[in-house]
Amino acid sequence: VVIGGSSVDMNPSALLHVIETESFDLRGIALDQYSDTAAGVFQIRRAKGNSASPTDVKANDVLGNFLLRGYNGATFPSAAVIRAQASHDWTATKNDAKIQFFTAAEGATATTQRLEISEQGNLGFNGTTFGGGSFIIFIANTTSAASS
């Protein structure tokens, strides 16, 4: 399905491909929820198998990605990615996951993982995971430091 704009994309890159050709501020996709008890939800679901016979998610399966891309004159490479990934094999009583943040460095053509929040809530920066203890963040070119 292709929606929007004055042109029609005969080869959409997704099942729902919204094309906006107007230059108004704050355009795109919006979800409004009017309720005293419920909130809007953007949901990505993942299973192995197929829709008639889904099977459990396994360790390291990507549950979903939120990709932020910009046009470089030839294509739309990812500049930043937010990813959820299963930490272990899933069961009816075990559904743990981690969330990862990737960015593309200056001059790079691919993203690299910069931050991870593990299923235990531990933080990892540039591939280094910090356990349940305290750590200190030093801010470059200053004399102050933040502790967590």
Side-chain angles (χ1 to χ4, degrees):
V1 175
V2 179
I3 302 171
S6 58
S7 64
V8 176
D9 187 347
M10 299 307 291
N11 297 300
S13 61
L15 294 176
L16 173 64
H17 189 169
V18 178
I19 302 171
E20 181 59 65
T21 59
E22 302 298 325
S23 57
F24 297 106
D25 288 339
L26 301 175
R27 294 294 295 249
I29 299 173
L31 170 63
D32 294 336
Q33 175 77 38
Y34 299 97
S35 171
D36 291 337
T37 58
V41 174
F42 179 77
Q43 188 177 110
I44 299 174
R45 302 188 326 170
R46 169 76 193 272
K48 290 189 171 278
N50 57 53
S51 62
S53 183
T55 59
D56 299 340
V57 169
K58 300 299 181 194
N60 298 315
D61 283 350
V62 174
L63 302 174
N65 289 301
F66 184 71
L67 307 175
L68 300 148
R69 298 177 169 196
Y71 191 68
N72 65 8
T75 187
F76 286 93
S78 293
V81 177
I82 301 171
R83 172 181 295 158
Q85 187 172 13
S87 298
H88 299 94
D89 291 354
W90 280 26
T91 67
T93 60
K94 187 175 182 181
N95 301 270
D96 53 342
K98 56 190 169 189
I99 190 164
Q100 302 162 322
F101 297 84
F102 298 74
T103 61
E106 184 176 351
T109 58
T111 60
T112 301
Q113 184 178 326
R114 307 297 183 181
L115 174 69
E116 177 176 298
I117 303 171
S118 75
E119 67 276 12
Q120 293 95 11
N122 296 332
L123 293 177
F125 297 95
N126 292 323
T128 302
T129 301
F130 297 95
S134 297
F135 65 94
I136 297 174
I137 299 173
F138 289 98
I139 302 168
N141 300 322
T142 68
T143 57
S144 63
S147 179
S148 173

